[in-house]
Amino acid sequence: MDTIAAICKCKSLSENKLVVAVREKPLESWGFFTWTFNVLMLLVTLGGWIFFAFGWVMGRYWLSPTYRCQHCNSEIPKHQFRVTNIRR
C-alpha cells in the first residue's frame, strides 16, 4: 500500500492534523456501468478492447496515480502532500 502524509479538507486543511493519503488501486473505482461498458466492448471488438483497457488502467496507475483521504475518501491533489520527519 502506497501512503503519503497530506492535508485534507475534512481536517480544515490543518498542518497540525495530517491525514494519510492512500494510493488508489487499479480498477478500485470502477462501478457497474464501467464494468458493463468494458465487457460489452470486449464482446463487440472480439477481445481487441483488452489492450486499450489495460493500457488505460496501467497508464493511470503508473503515470498519474490518484490518492484518496483515509477519512473522507476525497481525492487529494499533489500540492497537499506533506513531508514528515519521523524521529526515533
Side-chain angles (χ1 to χ4, degrees):
M1 174 189 308
D2 261 347
T3 58
I4 296 176
I7 58 173
C8 184
K9 62 184 175 184
C10 70
K11 300 289 184 181
S12 302
L13 297 174
S14 173
E15 294 285 341
N16 297 328
K17 298 178 186 173
L18 295 179
V19 297
V20 176
V22 181
R23 187 177 190 175
E24 194 174 79
K25 298 176 190 140
L27 310 181
E28 192 173 75
S29 63
W30 281 20
F32 173 76
F33 292 110
T34 306
W35 278 106
T36 304
F37 174 76
N38 279 291
V39 168
L40 288 174
M41 287 302 291
L42 280 171
L43 294 173
V44 168
T45 62
L46 300 175
W49 181 257
I50 191 106
F51 301 110
F52 178 77
F54 181 77
W56 182 270
V57 169
M58 288 297 117
R60 244 187 96 209
Y61 181 73
W62 293 106
L63 300 177
S64 61
T66 303
Y67 286 85
R68 299 211 168 263
C69 174
Q70 70 180 19
H71 297 291
C72 65
N73 204 25
S74 64
E75 186 173 340
I76 298 179
K78 291 183 180 184
H79 70 274
Q80 291 181 351
F81 294 163
R82 298 296 183 258
V83 177
T84 58
N85 295 327
I86 300 173
R87 297 178 186 165
R88 295 181 188 204

PDB file of all heavy atoms in Angstrom, residues 30-62:
ATOM      1  N   TRP A  30     -13.964   1.492 -10.344  1.00  0.00           N
ATOM      2  CA  TRP A  30     -14.899   1.112 -11.402  1.00  0.00           C
ATOM      3  C   TRP A  30     -16.224   0.687 -10.798  1.00  0.00           C
ATOM      4  O   TRP A  30     -16.296  -0.129  -9.900  1.00  0.00           O
ATOM      5  CB  TRP A  30     -14.330  -0.027 -12.232  1.00  0.00           C
ATOM      6  CG  TRP A  30     -13.308   0.385 -13.236  1.00  0.00           C
ATOM      7  CD1 TRP A  30     -12.584   1.539 -13.235  1.00  0.00           C
ATOM      8  CD2 TRP A  30     -12.891  -0.346 -14.377  1.00  0.00           C
ATOM      9  NE1 TRP A  30     -11.728   1.555 -14.310  1.00  0.00           N
ATOM     10  CE2 TRP A  30     -11.901   0.412 -15.031  1.00  0.00           C
ATOM     11  CE3 TRP A  30     -13.245  -1.562 -14.907  1.00  0.00           C
ATOM     12  CZ2 TRP A  30     -11.276  -0.016 -16.190  1.00  0.00           C
ATOM     13  CZ3 TRP A  30     -12.617  -1.998 -16.060  1.00  0.00           C
ATOM     14  CH2 TRP A  30     -11.649  -1.216 -16.699  1.00  0.00           C
ATOM     15  N   GLY A  31     -17.306   1.215 -11.344  1.00  0.00           N
ATOM     16  CA  GLY A  31     -18.647   0.856 -10.901  1.00  0.00           C
ATOM     17  C   GLY A  31     -19.305  -0.093 -11.900  1.00  0.00           C
ATOM     18  O   GLY A  31     -18.684  -0.599 -12.839  1.00  0.00           O
ATOM     19  N   PHE A  32     -20.587  -0.306 -11.714  1.00  0.00           N
ATOM     20  CA  PHE A  32     -21.346  -1.242 -12.542  1.00  0.00           C
ATOM     21  C   PHE A  32     -21.330  -0.854 -14.014  1.00  0.00           C
ATOM     22  O   PHE A  32     -21.098  -1.700 -14.889  1.00  0.00           O
ATOM     23  CB  PHE A  32     -22.795  -1.315 -12.031  1.00  0.00           C
ATOM     24  CG  PHE A  32     -23.694  -2.125 -12.911  1.00  0.00           C
ATOM     25  CD1 PHE A  32     -23.627  -3.507 -12.893  1.00  0.00           C
ATOM     26  CD2 PHE A  32     -24.588  -1.514 -13.777  1.00  0.00           C
ATOM     27  CE1 PHE A  32     -24.446  -4.261 -13.715  1.00  0.00           C
ATOM     28  CE2 PHE A  32     -25.410  -2.260 -14.598  1.00  0.00           C
ATOM     29  CZ  PHE A  32     -25.343  -3.639 -14.573  1.00  0.00           C
ATOM     30  N   PHE A  33     -21.561   0.419 -14.316  1.00  0.00           N
ATOM     31  CA  PHE A  33     -21.650   0.846 -15.713  1.00  0.00           C
ATOM     32  C   PHE A  33     -20.292   0.784 -16.414  1.00  0.00           C
ATOM     33  O   PHE A  33     -20.215   0.455 -17.593  1.00  0.00           O
ATOM     34  CB  PHE A  33     -22.253   2.250 -15.812  1.00  0.00           C
ATOM     35  CG  PHE A  33     -23.695   2.277 -15.411  1.00  0.00           C
ATOM     36  CD1 PHE A  33     -24.081   2.891 -14.234  1.00  0.00           C
ATOM     37  CD2 PHE A  33     -24.660   1.658 -16.184  1.00  0.00           C
ATOM     38  CE1 PHE A  33     -25.412   2.909 -13.852  1.00  0.00           C
ATOM     39  CE2 PHE A  33     -25.988   1.661 -15.817  1.00  0.00           C
ATOM     40  CZ  PHE A  33     -26.368   2.286 -14.641  1.00  0.00           C
ATOM     41  N   THR A  34     -19.222   1.072 -15.702  1.00  0.00           N
ATOM     42  CA  THR A  34     -17.885   0.977 -16.298  1.00  0.00           C
ATOM     43  C   THR A  34     -17.555  -0.473 -16.625  1.00  0.00           C
ATOM     44  O   THR A  34     -17.030  -0.776 -17.704  1.00  0.00           O
ATOM     45  CB  THR A  34     -16.828   1.564 -15.342  1.00  0.00           C
ATOM     46  OG1 THR A  34     -17.210   2.873 -14.977  1.00  0.00           O
ATOM     47  CG2 THR A  34     -15.463   1.590 -15.996  1.00  0.00           C
ATOM     48  N   TRP A  35     -17.860  -1.385 -15.689  1.00  0.00           N
ATOM     49  CA  TRP A  35     -17.623  -2.807 -15.956  1.00  0.00           C
ATOM     50  C   TRP A  35     -18.488  -3.285 -17.122  1.00  0.00           C
ATOM     51  O   TRP A  35     -18.007  -4.026 -17.998  1.00  0.00           O
ATOM     52  CB  TRP A  35     -17.916  -3.647 -14.712  1.00  0.00           C
ATOM     53  CG  TRP A  35     -16.780  -3.652 -13.748  1.00  0.00           C
ATOM     54  CD1 TRP A  35     -16.701  -2.998 -12.565  1.00  0.00           C
ATOM     55  CD2 TRP A  35     -15.543  -4.353 -13.898  1.00  0.00           C
ATOM     56  NE1 TRP A  35     -15.501  -3.229 -11.972  1.00  0.00           N
ATOM     57  CE2 TRP A  35     -14.766  -4.066 -12.764  1.00  0.00           C
ATOM     58  CE3 TRP A  35     -15.012  -5.187 -14.876  1.00  0.00           C
ATOM     59  CZ2 TRP A  35     -13.493  -4.592 -12.573  1.00  0.00           C
ATOM     60  CZ3 TRP A  35     -13.737  -5.705 -14.690  1.00  0.00           C
ATOM     61  CH2 TRP A  35     -12.995  -5.411 -13.555  1.00  0.00           C
ATOM     62  N   THR A  36     -19.752  -2.882 -17.143  1.00  0.00           N
ATOM     63  CA  THR A  36     -20.652  -3.289 -18.224  1.00  0.00           C
ATOM     64  C   THR A  36     -20.142  -2.784 -19.565  1.00  0.00           C
ATOM     65  O   THR A  36     -20.114  -3.538 -20.548  1.00  0.00           O
ATOM     66  CB  THR A  36     -22.063  -2.754 -17.961  1.00  0.00           C
ATOM     67  OG1 THR A  36     -22.503  -3.215 -16.682  1.00  0.00           O
ATOM     68  CG2 THR A  36     -23.031  -3.209 -19.029  1.00  0.00           C
ATOM     69  N   PHE A  37     -19.733  -1.509 -19.626  1.00  0.00           N
ATOM     70  CA  PHE A  37     -19.201  -0.937 -20.857  1.00  0.00           C
ATOM     71  C   PHE A  37     -17.973  -1.714 -21.334  1.00  0.00           C
ATOM     72  O   PHE A  37     -17.866  -2.048 -22.521  1.00  0.00           O
ATOM     73  CB  PHE A  37     -18.847   0.534 -20.643  1.00  0.00           C
ATOM     74  CG  PHE A  37     -18.166   1.163 -21.823  1.00  0.00           C
ATOM     75  CD1 PHE A  37     -18.893   1.521 -22.937  1.00  0.00           C
ATOM     76  CD2 PHE A  37     -16.796   1.377 -21.819  1.00  0.00           C
ATOM     77  CE1 PHE A  37     -18.273   2.098 -24.037  1.00  0.00           C
ATOM     78  CE2 PHE A  37     -16.161   1.945 -22.910  1.00  0.00           C
ATOM     79  CZ  PHE A  37     -16.898   2.310 -24.019  1.00  0.00           C
ATOM     80  N   ASN A  38     -17.068  -2.021 -20.431  1.00  0.00           N
ATOM     81  CA  ASN A  38     -15.850  -2.727 -20.826  1.00  0.00           C
ATOM     82  C   ASN A  38     -16.133  -4.158 -21.282  1.00  0.00           C
ATOM     83  O   ASN A  38     -15.525  -4.630 -22.248  1.00  0.00           O
ATOM     84  CB  ASN A  38     -14.831  -2.717 -19.685  1.00  0.00           C
ATOM     85  CG  ASN A  38     -14.082  -1.414 -19.624  1.00  0.00           C
ATOM     86  OD1 ASN A  38     -13.280  -1.109 -20.493  1.00  0.00           O
ATOM     87  ND2 ASN A  38     -14.367  -0.622 -18.620  1.00  0.00           N
ATOM     88  N   VAL A  39     -17.051  -4.834 -20.624  1.00  0.00           N
ATOM     89  CA  VAL A  39     -17.409  -6.195 -21.053  1.00  0.00           C
ATOM     90  C   VAL A  39     -18.077  -6.154 -22.423  1.00  0.00           C
ATOM     91  O   VAL A  39     -17.757  -6.973 -23.306  1.00  0.00           O
ATOM     92  CB  VAL A  39     -18.318  -6.876 -20.005  1.00  0.00           C
ATOM     93  CG1 VAL A  39     -18.925  -8.152 -20.554  1.00  0.00           C
ATOM     94  CG2 VAL A  39     -17.534  -7.158 -18.734  1.00  0.00           C
ATOM     95  N   LEU A  40     -18.977  -5.201 -22.640  1.00  0.00           N
ATOM     96  CA  LEU A  40     -19.617  -5.078 -23.952  1.00  0.00           C
ATOM     97  C   LEU A  40     -18.599  -4.755 -25.044  1.00  0.00           C
ATOM     98  O   LEU A  40     -18.666  -5.299 -26.146  1.00  0.00           O
ATOM     99  CB  LEU A  40     -20.714  -4.016 -23.917  1.00  0.00           C
ATOM    100  CG  LEU A  40     -21.986  -4.401 -23.156  1.00  0.00           C
ATOM    101  CD1 LEU A  40     -22.932  -3.218 -23.079  1.00  0.00           C
ATOM    102  CD2 LEU A  40     -22.658  -5.592 -23.810  1.00  0.00           C
ATOM    103  N   MET A  41     -17.662  -3.855 -24.752  1.00  0.00           N
ATOM    104  CA  MET A  41     -16.631  -3.520 -25.742  1.00  0.00           C
ATOM    105  C   MET A  41     -15.735  -4.726 -26.042  1.00  0.00           C
ATOM    106  O   MET A  41     -15.308  -4.905 -27.183  1.00  0.00           O
ATOM    107  CB  MET A  41     -15.786  -2.343 -25.256  1.00  0.00           C
ATOM    108  CG  MET A  41     -16.517  -1.013 -25.302  1.00  0.00           C
ATOM    109  SD  MET A  41     -17.124  -0.579 -26.941  1.00  0.00           S
ATOM    110  CE  MET A  41     -15.598  -0.255 -27.793  1.00  0.00           C
ATOM    111  N   LEU A  42     -15.460  -5.545 -25.034  1.00  0.00           N
ATOM    112  CA  LEU A  42     -14.690  -6.770 -25.282  1.00  0.00           C
ATOM    113  C   LEU A  42     -15.436  -7.701 -26.229  1.00  0.00           C
ATOM    114  O   LEU A  42     -14.827  -8.306 -27.122  1.00  0.00           O
ATOM    115  CB  LEU A  42     -14.396  -7.493 -23.969  1.00  0.00           C
ATOM    116  CG  LEU A  42     -13.244  -6.952 -23.150  1.00  0.00           C
ATOM    117  CD1 LEU A  42     -13.212  -7.611 -21.777  1.00  0.00           C
ATOM    118  CD2 LEU A  42     -11.934  -7.177 -23.872  1.00  0.00           C
ATOM    119  N   LEU A  43     -16.745  -7.813 -26.036  1.00  0.00           N
ATOM    120  CA  LEU A  43     -17.542  -8.681 -26.905  1.00  0.00           C
ATOM    121  C   LEU A  43     -17.655  -8.108 -28.316  1.00  0.00           C
ATOM    122  O   LEU A  43     -17.535  -8.844 -29.299  1.00  0.00           O
ATOM    123  CB  LEU A  43     -18.930  -8.892 -26.307  1.00  0.00           C
ATOM    124  CG  LEU A  43     -18.971  -9.668 -24.987  1.00  0.00           C
ATOM    125  CD1 LEU A  43     -20.374  -9.659 -24.408  1.00  0.00           C
ATOM    126  CD2 LEU A  43     -18.464 -11.082 -25.184  1.00  0.00           C
ATOM    127  N   VAL A  44     -17.876  -6.801 -28.424  1.00  0.00           N
ATOM    128  CA  VAL A  44     -18.054  -6.160 -29.726  1.00  0.00           C
ATOM    129  C   VAL A  44     -16.765  -6.208 -30.544  1.00  0.00           C
ATOM    130  O   VAL A  44     -16.784  -6.462 -31.746  1.00  0.00           O
ATOM    131  CB  VAL A  44     -18.543  -4.702 -29.552  1.00  0.00           C
ATOM    132  CG1 VAL A  44     -18.456  -3.924 -30.839  1.00  0.00           C
ATOM    133  CG2 VAL A  44     -19.959  -4.698 -29.015  1.00  0.00           C
ATOM    134  N   THR A  45     -15.624  -5.978 -29.894  1.00  0.00           N
ATOM    135  CA  THR A  45     -14.344  -5.947 -30.616  1.00  0.00           C
ATOM    136  C   THR A  45     -13.640  -7.297 -30.638  1.00  0.00           C
ATOM    137  O   THR A  45     -12.494  -7.385 -31.077  1.00  0.00           O
ATOM    138  CB  THR A  45     -13.399  -4.903 -29.985  1.00  0.00           C
ATOM    139  OG1 THR A  45     -13.124  -5.288 -28.639  1.00  0.00           O
ATOM    140  CG2 THR A  45     -14.007  -3.515 -30.030  1.00  0.00           C
ATOM    141  N   LEU A  46     -14.324  -8.324 -30.174  1.00  0.00           N
ATOM    142  CA  LEU A  46     -13.775  -9.684 -30.130  1.00  0.00           C
ATOM    143  C   LEU A  46     -12.442  -9.745 -29.385  1.00  0.00           C
ATOM    144  O   LEU A  46     -11.495 -10.413 -29.803  1.00  0.00           O
ATOM    145  CB  LEU A  46     -13.626 -10.252 -31.546  1.00  0.00           C
ATOM    146  CG  LEU A  46     -14.916 -10.345 -32.359  1.00  0.00           C
ATOM    147  CD1 LEU A  46     -14.624 -10.795 -33.779  1.00  0.00           C
ATOM    148  CD2 LEU A  46     -15.912 -11.273 -31.695  1.00  0.00           C
ATOM    149  N   GLY A  47     -12.378  -9.038 -28.264  1.00  0.00           N
ATOM    150  CA  GLY A  47     -11.192  -9.093 -27.415  1.00  0.00           C
ATOM    151  C   GLY A  47     -10.158  -8.026 -27.697  1.00  0.00           C
ATOM    152  O   GLY A  47      -9.187  -7.897 -26.951  1.00  0.00           O
ATOM    153  N   GLY A  48     -10.320  -7.259 -28.746  1.00  0.00           N
ATOM    154  CA  GLY A  48      -9.346  -6.219 -29.078  1.00  0.00           C
ATOM    155  C   GLY A  48      -9.323  -5.074 -28.088  1.00  0.00           C
ATOM    156  O   GLY A  48      -8.341  -4.354 -27.964  1.00  0.00           O
ATOM    157  N   TRP A  49     -10.426  -4.898 -27.371  1.00  0.00           N
ATOM    158  CA  TRP A  49     -10.545  -3.819 -26.402  1.00  0.00           C
ATOM    159  C   TRP A  49      -9.615  -4.018 -25.207  1.00  0.00           C
ATOM    160  O   TRP A  49      -9.249  -3.058 -24.522  1.00  0.00           O
ATOM    161  CB  TRP A  49     -11.996  -3.738 -25.942  1.00  0.00           C
ATOM    162  CG  TRP A  49     -12.272  -2.650 -24.963  1.00  0.00           C
ATOM    163  CD1 TRP A  49     -12.445  -2.786 -23.628  1.00  0.00           C
ATOM    164  CD2 TRP A  49     -12.417  -1.260 -25.243  1.00  0.00           C
ATOM    165  NE1 TRP A  49     -12.694  -1.576 -23.051  1.00  0.00           N
ATOM    166  CE2 TRP A  49     -12.671  -0.603 -24.026  1.00  0.00           C
ATOM    167  CE3 TRP A  49     -12.342  -0.494 -26.399  1.00  0.00           C
ATOM    168  CZ2 TRP A  49     -12.863   0.759 -23.937  1.00  0.00           C
ATOM    169  CZ3 TRP A  49     -12.529   0.861 -26.307  1.00  0.00           C
ATOM    170  CH2 TRP A  49     -12.787   1.480 -25.095  1.00  0.00           C
ATOM    171  N   ILE A  50      -9.214  -5.255 -24.937  1.00  0.00           N
ATOM    172  CA  ILE A  50      -8.414  -5.548 -23.740  1.00  0.00           C
ATOM    173  C   ILE A  50      -7.102  -4.775 -23.728  1.00  0.00           C
ATOM    174  O   ILE A  50      -6.648  -4.329 -22.671  1.00  0.00           O
ATOM    175  CB  ILE A  50      -8.164  -7.065 -23.576  1.00  0.00           C
ATOM    176  CG1 ILE A  50      -7.574  -7.371 -22.199  1.00  0.00           C
ATOM    177  CG2 ILE A  50      -7.205  -7.608 -24.588  1.00  0.00           C
ATOM    178  CD1 ILE A  50      -8.556  -7.993 -21.288  1.00  0.00           C
ATOM    179  N   PHE A  51      -6.493  -4.578 -24.888  1.00  0.00           N
ATOM    180  CA  PHE A  51      -5.219  -3.860 -24.956  1.00  0.00           C
ATOM    181  C   PHE A  51      -5.413  -2.390 -24.616  1.00  0.00           C
ATOM    182  O   PHE A  51      -4.613  -1.796 -23.886  1.00  0.00           O
ATOM    183  CB  PHE A  51      -4.583  -4.023 -26.334  1.00  0.00           C
ATOM    184  CG  PHE A  51      -4.315  -5.455 -26.684  1.00  0.00           C
ATOM    185  CD1 PHE A  51      -5.055  -6.087 -27.667  1.00  0.00           C
ATOM    186  CD2 PHE A  51      -3.351  -6.170 -26.002  1.00  0.00           C
ATOM    187  CE1 PHE A  51      -4.817  -7.416 -27.979  1.00  0.00           C
ATOM    188  CE2 PHE A  51      -3.104  -7.494 -26.304  1.00  0.00           C
ATOM    189  CZ  PHE A  51      -3.843  -8.121 -27.293  1.00  0.00           C
ATOM    190  N   PHE A  52      -6.480  -1.788 -25.109  1.00  0.00           N
ATOM    191  CA  PHE A  52      -6.782  -0.402 -24.791  1.00  0.00           C
ATOM    192  C   PHE A  52      -7.113  -0.249 -23.308  1.00  0.00           C
ATOM    193  O   PHE A  52      -6.600   0.650 -22.636  1.00  0.00           O
ATOM    194  CB  PHE A  52      -7.945   0.114 -25.645  1.00  0.00           C
ATOM    195  CG  PHE A  52      -8.332   1.520 -25.324  1.00  0.00           C
ATOM    196  CD1 PHE A  52      -7.571   2.583 -25.785  1.00  0.00           C
ATOM    197  CD2 PHE A  52      -9.444   1.779 -24.531  1.00  0.00           C
ATOM    198  CE1 PHE A  52      -7.923   3.888 -25.467  1.00  0.00           C
ATOM    199  CE2 PHE A  52      -9.801   3.072 -24.221  1.00  0.00           C
ATOM    200  CZ  PHE A  52      -9.032   4.127 -24.695  1.00  0.00           C
ATOM    201  N   ALA A  53      -7.964  -1.111 -22.790  1.00  0.00           N
ATOM    202  CA  ALA A  53      -8.369  -1.032 -21.386  1.00  0.00           C
ATOM    203  C   ALA A  53      -7.172  -1.246 -20.465  1.00  0.00           C
ATOM    204  O   ALA A  53      -7.004  -0.529 -19.474  1.00  0.00           O
ATOM    205  CB  ALA A  53      -9.463  -2.056 -21.091  1.00  0.00           C
ATOM    206  N   PHE A  54      -6.318  -2.220 -20.772  1.00  0.00           N
ATOM    207  CA  PHE A  54      -5.130  -2.481 -19.953  1.00  0.00           C
ATOM    208  C   PHE A  54      -4.191  -1.282 -19.977  1.00  0.00           C
ATOM    209  O   PHE A  54      -3.670  -0.863 -18.942  1.00  0.00           O
ATOM    210  CB  PHE A  54      -4.405  -3.739 -20.455  1.00  0.00           C
ATOM    211  CG  PHE A  54      -3.190  -4.072 -19.643  1.00  0.00           C
ATOM    212  CD1 PHE A  54      -3.316  -4.678 -18.405  1.00  0.00           C
ATOM    213  CD2 PHE A  54      -1.919  -3.781 -20.118  1.00  0.00           C
ATOM    214  CE1 PHE A  54      -2.192  -4.978 -17.652  1.00  0.00           C
ATOM    215  CE2 PHE A  54      -0.787  -4.079 -19.375  1.00  0.00           C
ATOM    216  CZ  PHE A  54      -0.936  -4.686 -18.140  1.00  0.00           C
ATOM    217  N   GLY A  55      -3.982  -0.704 -21.147  1.00  0.00           N
ATOM    218  CA  GLY A  55      -3.120   0.473 -21.266  1.00  0.00           C
ATOM    219  C   GLY A  55      -3.692   1.665 -20.513  1.00  0.00           C
ATOM    220  O   GLY A  55      -2.956   2.408 -19.860  1.00  0.00           O
ATOM    221  N   TRP A  56      -4.993   1.845 -20.574  1.00  0.00           N
ATOM    222  CA  TRP A  56      -5.644   2.953 -19.878  1.00  0.00           C
ATOM    223  C   TRP A  56      -5.488   2.802 -18.361  1.00  0.00           C
ATOM    224  O   TRP A  56      -5.109   3.744 -17.662  1.00  0.00           O
ATOM    225  CB  TRP A  56      -7.124   2.982 -20.250  1.00  0.00           C
ATOM    226  CG  TRP A  56      -7.868   4.112 -19.630  1.00  0.00           C
ATOM    227  CD1 TRP A  56      -8.504   4.116 -18.428  1.00  0.00           C
ATOM    228  CD2 TRP A  56      -8.040   5.413 -20.182  1.00  0.00           C
ATOM    229  NE1 TRP A  56      -9.072   5.330 -18.203  1.00  0.00           N
ATOM    230  CE2 TRP A  56      -8.800   6.148 -19.259  1.00  0.00           C
ATOM    231  CE3 TRP A  56      -7.631   6.017 -21.357  1.00  0.00           C
ATOM    232  CZ2 TRP A  56      -9.156   7.461 -19.481  1.00  0.00           C
ATOM    233  CZ3 TRP A  56      -7.993   7.327 -21.582  1.00  0.00           C
ATOM    234  CH2 TRP A  56      -8.738   8.037 -20.657  1.00  0.00           C
ATOM    235  N   VAL A  57      -5.771   1.609 -17.851  1.00  0.00           N
ATOM    236  CA  VAL A  57      -5.713   1.367 -16.409  1.00  0.00           C
ATOM    237  C   VAL A  57      -4.278   1.467 -15.901  1.00  0.00           C
ATOM    238  O   VAL A  57      -4.005   2.149 -14.910  1.00  0.00           O
ATOM    239  CB  VAL A  57      -6.317  -0.013 -16.063  1.00  0.00           C
ATOM    240  CG1 VAL A  57      -6.027  -0.397 -14.629  1.00  0.00           C
ATOM    241  CG2 VAL A  57      -7.811  -0.005 -16.311  1.00  0.00           C
ATOM    242  N   MET A  58      -3.354   0.808 -16.547  1.00  0.00           N
ATOM    243  CA  MET A  58      -1.971   0.830 -16.084  1.00  0.00           C
ATOM    244  C   MET A  58      -1.325   2.202 -16.284  1.00  0.00           C
ATOM    245  O   MET A  58      -0.510   2.635 -15.478  1.00  0.00           O
ATOM    246  CB  MET A  58      -1.147  -0.248 -16.791  1.00  0.00           C
ATOM    247  CG  MET A  58      -1.477  -1.644 -16.324  1.00  0.00           C
ATOM    248  SD  MET A  58      -1.085  -1.880 -14.586  1.00  0.00           S
ATOM    249  CE  MET A  58      -2.659  -2.200 -13.878  1.00  0.00           C
ATOM    250  N   GLY A  59      -1.693   2.898 -17.343  1.00  0.00           N
ATOM    251  CA  GLY A  59      -1.178   4.248 -17.563  1.00  0.00           C
ATOM    252  C   GLY A  59      -1.625   5.198 -16.466  1.00  0.00           C
ATOM    253  O   GLY A  59      -0.840   5.999 -15.962  1.00  0.00           O
ATOM    254  N   ARG A  60      -2.888   5.087 -16.090  1.00  0.00           N
ATOM    255  CA  ARG A  60      -3.400   5.920 -14.995  1.00  0.00           C
ATOM    256  C   ARG A  60      -2.756   5.562 -13.675  1.00  0.00           C
ATOM    257  O   ARG A  60      -2.498   6.421 -12.835  1.00  0.00           O
ATOM    258  CB  ARG A  60      -4.912   5.743 -14.878  1.00  0.00           C
ATOM    259  CG  ARG A  60      -5.654   7.009 -15.156  1.00  0.00           C
ATOM    260  CD  ARG A  60      -7.119   6.881 -14.888  1.00  0.00           C
ATOM    261  NE  ARG A  60      -7.353   7.389 -13.540  1.00  0.00           N
ATOM    262  CZ  ARG A  60      -8.307   6.988 -12.756  1.00  0.00           C
ATOM    263  NH1 ARG A  60      -9.128   6.071 -13.152  1.00  0.00           N
ATOM    264  NH2 ARG A  60      -8.458   7.498 -11.572  1.00  0.00           N
ATOM    265  N   TYR A  61      -2.475   4.291 -13.465  1.00  0.00           N
ATOM    266  CA  TYR A  61      -1.892   3.852 -12.198  1.00  0.00           C
ATOM    267  C   TYR A  61      -0.431   4.284 -12.076  1.00  0.00           C
ATOM    268  O   TYR A  61      -0.002   4.747 -11.035  1.00  0.00           O
ATOM    269  CB  TYR A  61      -2.014   2.332 -12.064  1.00  0.00           C
ATOM    270  CG  TYR A  61      -1.455   1.809 -10.768  1.00  0.00           C
ATOM    271  CD1 TYR A  61      -2.137   2.009  -9.573  1.00  0.00           C
ATOM    272  CD2 TYR A  61      -0.258   1.116 -10.721  1.00  0.00           C
ATOM    273  CE1 TYR A  61      -1.649   1.534  -8.379  1.00  0.00           C
ATOM    274  CE2 TYR A  61       0.246   0.638  -9.526  1.00  0.00           C
ATOM    275  CZ  TYR A  61      -0.450   0.842  -8.364  1.00  0.00           C
ATOM    276  OH  TYR A  61       0.047   0.375  -7.174  1.00  0.00           O
ATOM    277  N   TRP A  62       0.328   4.141 -13.143  1.00  0.00           N
ATOM    278  CA  TRP A  62       1.767   4.432 -13.082  1.00  0.00           C
ATOM    279  C   TRP A  62       2.108   5.884 -13.403  1.00  0.00           C
ATOM    280  O   TRP A  62       3.027   6.452 -12.815  1.00  0.00           O
ATOM    281  CB  TRP A  62       2.551   3.515 -14.016  1.00  0.00           C
ATOM    282  CG  TRP A  62       2.517   2.095 -13.558  1.00  0.00           C
ATOM    283  CD1 TRP A  62       1.805   1.081 -14.114  1.00  0.00           C
ATOM    284  CD2 TRP A  62       3.175   1.535 -12.423  1.00  0.00           C
ATOM    285  NE1 TRP A  62       1.986  -0.069 -13.393  1.00  0.00           N
ATOM    286  CE2 TRP A  62       2.826   0.183 -12.354  1.00  0.00           C
ATOM    287  CE3 TRP A  62       4.019   2.059 -11.450  1.00  0.00           C
ATOM    288  CZ2 TRP A  62       3.304  -0.654 -11.353  1.00  0.00           C
ATOM    289  CZ3 TRP A  62       4.491   1.214 -10.453  1.00  0.00           C
ATOM    290  CH2 TRP A  62       4.126  -0.122 -10.421  1.00  0.00           C
TER     291      TRP A  62
END
